[in-house]
Amino acid sequence: MFSSDNPGAKVIVVKKYDEILIMQEANQIVAQTLTMLQKTVTPGISTWELDRLAEDYCKKMKAIPAFKGYRGFPGSLCVSINEEVVHGIPSRKRKLKKGDILSVDFGVCYKGYFGDSAITIAVDRVSLDEERLITVTEKSLNKAIEKVVAGNRIADISCAVQRCVEESGFSVVRQFVGHGIGLSLHEGPEIPNFHQGEHTARLLPGMVLAIEPMVNMGTHRVKVLRDGWTVVTADGKPSAHFEHSVAVTEDGPMILSSRENIH
Ligand code: MG
Ligand code: MG
């Protein structure tokens, strides 16, 4: 998210292993927060209440919410419902309804390093199509992570997402992309979710990548609402978003924001 600004200025920073371990701590705070929110989401709760829970937990863990104040973003969480793709603003007035799909994106800064991850949650029961949209989006992220191997290129990640999504009849958002992460929330390289040619950066051990497919049920086209933040699909059809921060290591991908050991 927030990633299409001034791409030329972003350098790719390779991290040492002890830095990756701190980034894992940061990302585990994000992962714990997302798991907590997943358990809390229920019809009737407002997106503002979710924002409060996330911020309180983050502060308890001695981390700083990374999105709050970022270019003036007013919340700690990005909460994007149904046709909202990314960057939805938490609101007391916006209460979740049965059948909504909610994308929650959260980032923190911990010991100077950033963590960034996102999930899409079904609020109670959703339609079969929406269930499939969520499943395919998460699957496309997993397919992308399989390509996080030293020697591969960013294009391998992009193609893995696009192939998985388009085979399923959905589309990938072009206007927003994934990014490197570390001492800044957004570092190089940009990680598009669609093929942009082979001349992309080669993956080296120590790179940390925030890979984040944004997948639309209909057209890939999006627009930004008048609040200046909320990105919605151009055709009003639903959208899903998953994100992991992943380190390239000699032994393959290391998913820093993994929720596997969180219960
Ligand atoms: Mg991100
Ligand atoms: Mg994010």
Side-chain angles (χ1 to χ4, degrees):
M1 61 171 286
F2 304 118
S3 42
S4 52
D5 48 297
N6 198 13
K10 287 178 191 151
V11 289
I12 302 176
V13 186
V14 170
K15 283 85 183 172
K16 298 191 191 76
Y17 194 65
D18 58 341
E19 295 181 281
I20 290 176
L21 292 180
I22 301 172
M23 291 191 72
Q24 187 174 40
E25 289 182 65
N27 275 290
Q28 282 300 297
I29 296 170
V30 177
Q32 287 153 12
T33 307
L34 293 177
T35 302
M36 180 258 294
L37 294 174
Q38 197 167 27
K39 288 179 185 162
T40 308
V41 159
T42 183
I45 198 165
S46 74
T47 53
W48 181 83
E49 286 169 89
L50 298 176
D51 184 78
R52 291 295 85 207
L53 286 169
E55 190 173 313
D56 289 349
Y57 182 73
C58 169
K59 287 181 173 163
K60 197 177 102 188
M61 300 306 284
K62 310 271 183 249
I64 302 161
F67 302 163
K68 196 166 200 172
Y70 186 97
R71 299 174 159 206
F73 187 78
S76 288
L77 276 186
C78 290
V79 278
S80 310
I81 303 170
N82 300 334
E83 78 284 3
E84 296 170 359
V85 180
V86 285
H87 306 172
I89 300 170
S91 160
R92 279 189 174 85
K93 288 185 217 150
R94 192 73 191 266
K95 294 196 164 123
L96 297 178
K97 297 193 301 287
K98 186 175 173 176
D100 283 340
I101 64 168
L102 169 73
S103 298
V104 186
D105 191 351
F106 190 49
V108 305
C109 182
Y110 180 72
K111 297 183 181 172
Y113 289 86
F114 284 86
D116 191 5
S117 183
I119 56 173
T120 298
I121 304 166
V123 183
D124 209 321
R125 288 198 65 162
V126 301
S127 73
L128 283 176
D129 274 350
E130 284 165 317
E131 215 170 87
R132 204 167 67 85
L133 178 71
I134 294 173
T135 308
V136 166
T137 308
E138 188 166 28
K139 186 175 156 200
S140 74
L141 173 58
N142 292 331
K143 291 281 180 196
I145 292 170
E146 287 174 14
K147 301 291 179 188
V148 179
V149 173
N152 278 356
R153 291 187 184 273
I154 294 296
D156 295 312
I157 296 173
S158 307
C159 288
V161 173
Q162 186 171 24
R163 193 176 308 124
C164 176
V165 168
E166 293 183 352
E167 270 173 9
S168 307
F170 300 134
S171 66
V172 289
V173 171
R174 267 78 164 154
Q175 219 168 310
F176 297 87
V177 296
H179 50 93
I181 181 167
L183 285 168
S184 304
L185 180 59
H186 298 119
E187 298 180 352
E190 289 206 336
I191 309 168
N193 296 303
F194 57 99
H195 188 54
Q196 273 195 320
E198 294 303 325
H199 296 288
T200 53
R202 216 178 262 289
L203 304 186
L204 296 171
M207 286 183 185
V208 184
L209 310 173
I211 305 171
E212 46 180 319
M214 288 149 261
V215 177
N216 295 350
M217 195 177 283
T219 177
H220 68 82
R221 285 192 300 280
V222 298
K223 57 186 184 184
V224 180
L225 294 186
R226 235 179 271 170
D227 63 18
W229 281 107
T230 314
V231 178
V232 297
T233 56
D235 58 7
K237 291 187 179 170
S239 183
H241 180 207
F242 279 84
E243 177 179 26
H244 269 310
S245 294
V246 185
V248 185
T249 79
E250 303 279 5
D251 307 318
M254 180 175 171
I255 306 175
L256 305 182
S257 50
S258 170
R259 296 180 302 280
E260 241 170 46
N261 296 315
I262 301 169
H263 302 289

